[in-house]
C-alpha cells in the first residue's frame, strides 16, 4: 500500500493489516474491479460468488 502504515491489532489469530495488504494487492492485480464486477448466484442446491463473467 502506498499510504502510511499504521499498526492495526486486535484479538484473534490473523493480523488485520496483513490481510488488508493481501486483499489490496489482489484487487490491484485484478485491474481494480468495481463492486458491480462481482456477484452471487443462489440456486436450489448450491450457491457461489463470482467476479467478472458469471460463473
Amino acid at each position: 500500500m502506498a499510504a502510511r502504515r499504521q499498526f492495526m491489532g486486535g484479538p484473534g489469530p490473523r493480523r488485520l493489516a496483513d490481510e488488508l495488504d493481501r486483499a489490496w494487492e489482489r484487487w490491484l492485480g485484478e485491474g481494480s474491479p468495481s463492486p458491480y464486477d462481482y456477484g452471487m448466484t443462489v440456486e436450489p442446491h448450491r450457491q457461489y460468488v463470482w467476479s467478472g463473467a458469471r460463473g
Side-chain angles (χ1 to χ4, degrees):
M1 286 168 93
R4 182 173 57 102
R5 292 179 182 243
Q6 294 181 349
F7 175 79
M8 289 189 269
R14 297 177 0 193
R15 296 190 51 177
L16 179 57
D18 293 340
E19 296 286 330
L20 181 59
D21 279 344
R22 280 191 291 274
W24 181 260
E25 292 301 322
R26 184 171 179 186
W27 180 74
L28 290 174
E30 294 290 328
S32 308
S34 81
Y36 300 105
D37 292 326
Y38 296 90
M40 182 173 72
T41 300
V42 178
E43 298 175 347
H45 300 288
R46 68 180 185 150
Q47 304 85 39
Y48 53 95
V49 295
W50 47 268
S51 172
R54 186 169 283 186

